[in-house]
Amino acid sequence: MILGGVQLHEGDDHIVGLLTPDRVRDVAGAMADVGREALKAGWDCIDIEDYGPNFGHGDFVCTWANVTDLVVFFRRAADAGSHVIFTVGR
């Protein structure tokens, strides 16, 4: 969802991306439709071997909390007509 946009930097250990206000509005709309049950259904499909040693219910709870925070963040950014710059570690 958020990895689209313009890649400002792509390094060995992280990427930096920029979302335009139009893209921020798209992301905000898409994220508003993500429910806990749908995220959990996708979560349950993750291969534990691929994920790593910290896979479990507590990790999902943390992820869901982060997703709900991001929904609010993107809604506010969209309402303000803002760009969003983000980083993702690899």
Side-chain angles (χ1 to χ4, degrees), residues 2-90:
I2 64 171
L3 294 181
V6 178
Q7 298 301 307
L8 300 177
H9 172 78
E10 188 169 348
D12 292 337
D13 61 346
H14 70 283
I15 61 171
V16 178
L18 169 69
L19 298 178
T20 63
D22 287 340
R23 184 71 176 136
V24 170
R25 278 190 292 280
D26 292 343
V27 171
M31 289 192 80
D33 294 335
V34 175
R36 188 180 193 284
E37 295 77 22
L39 186 66
K40 182 71 166 89
W43 184 270
D44 289 341
C45 294
I46 294 173
D47 183 344
I48 295 171
E49 298 295 322
D50 289 338
Y51 187 86
N54 298 324
F55 186 80
H57 178 71
D59 214 21
F60 175 76
V61 170
C62 181
T63 298
W64 176 244
N66 288 330
V67 167
T68 59
D69 289 346
L70 281 172
V71 168
V72 172
F73 171 81
F74 273 96
R75 180 76 271 141
R76 288 180 179 162
D79 290 346
S82 297
H83 289 78
V84 170
I85 294 177
F86 63 92
T87 62
V88 178
R90 293 182 178 210

